[in-house]
Amino acid sequence: MKKTYKPAANSRISISELMQPSHSNFNGKIHGGYILNLMDQIAFACASKHSEAYCVTASVNTVDFLNPIEIGELVTMKASVNYVGNTSMVVGIRVIAENIRTGNVKHCNSSYFTMVAKNDDNESVAVPGLILSNSIEIRRFLKAIELIKSKENRHEVFNFNHKTFAAENYLHILEPYKVKIEL
């Protein structure tokens, strides 16, 4: 099979949407779940564009809501494929909000979605490699490698065998935390 490569720039997608009252929570700010839904949609579009296949969300890296989004602000999401594996891609997403009356722009959050390409039989399929054309794309690729390593380390740390796990062996770790143990 011939290995194909595509420029990272070819997968970039940007969407903008005006935030409406129907998108708000009880506090009058835009609901985080609505923003996550939009992020998932743009991650799907970006990954599908790169892979030319249907893609599913395998995982979402930490999403920190840095600034609230107000009703009436224009939210823009920018996504790009930052890393490719055999069948998976890491899509980086940046969310900004603009007050269209004042022009004030704020960074609201960034996250990384791992997407997997699928065929019509729901089997994972190989994705094209990535052509990196500048230092920003190289930095993003390297950061994705670190995120993947960090995820693998988290899985190792919390891979307790539930049949042989003895809680009393780990109670000392919990001492500095606000927790009460009643065994």
Side-chain angles (χ1 to χ4, degrees):
M1 179 177 133
K2 182 182 175 220
K3 209 170 199 182
T4 60
Y5 292 85
K6 288 178 147 183
N10 286 9
S11 70
R12 287 197 194 112
I13 293 182
S14 178
I15 61 169
S16 296
E17 185 173 327
L18 185 65
M19 294 295 105
Q20 300 178 29
S22 62
H23 305 139
S24 67
N25 60 24
F26 295 112
N27 202 24
K29 309 297 181 195
I30 301 306
H31 196 283
Y34 183 73
I35 298 301
L36 286 171
N37 180 40
L38 291 177
M39 293 172 77
D40 192 50
Q41 289 179 42
I42 195 170
F44 166 83
C46 183
S48 295
K49 185 175 180 182
H50 179 78
S51 65
E52 298 176 9
Y54 178 80
C55 293
V56 296
T57 306
S59 70
V60 179
N61 195 280
T62 302
V63 179
D64 293 320
F65 293 94
L66 306 173
N67 288 296
I69 300 171
E70 308 290 337
I71 295 168
E73 289 185 324
L74 182 66
V75 168
T76 299
M77 296 188 182
K78 298 177 182 182
S80 66
V81 172
N82 292 351
Y83 171 90
V84 295
N86 185 34
T87 62
S88 66
M89 297 151 280
V90 174
V91 176
I93 303 170
R94 182 176 178 88
V95 180
I96 59 170
E98 178 182 0
N99 181 311
I100 55 178
R101 291 184 301 190
T102 66
N104 185 40
V105 176
K106 59 188 173 185
H107 176 214
C108 297
N109 66 35
S110 295
S111 188
Y112 302 92
F113 281 56
T114 300
M115 309 297 289
V116 177
K118 298 285 188 171
N119 65 16
D120 292 338
D121 296 323
N122 201 34
E123 299 166 331
S124 298
V125 295
V127 299
L130 206 54
I131 299 171
L132 307 176
S133 302
N134 58 51
S135 61
I136 293 171
E137 292 171 354
I138 293 169
R139 180 179 49 81
R140 289 176 178 166
F141 196 94
L142 290 169
K143 183 169 184 174
I145 291 171
E146 288 304 311
L147 289 169
I148 291 165
K149 286 180 184 176
S150 171
K151 182 179 175 182
E152 289 169 356
N153 289 340
R154 282 194 316 270
H155 285 285
E156 284 179 25
V157 169
F158 292 106
N159 192 16
F160 295 117
N161 182 334
H162 69 279
K163 292 178 182 175
T164 60
F165 177 77
E168 53 276 357
N169 293 336
Y170 298 93
L171 295 180
H172 67 281
I173 297 171
L174 301 175
E175 288 173 2
Y177 297 94
K178 190 174 182 178
V179 62
K180 184 178 178 183
I181 311 282
E182 294 181 349
L183 295 177

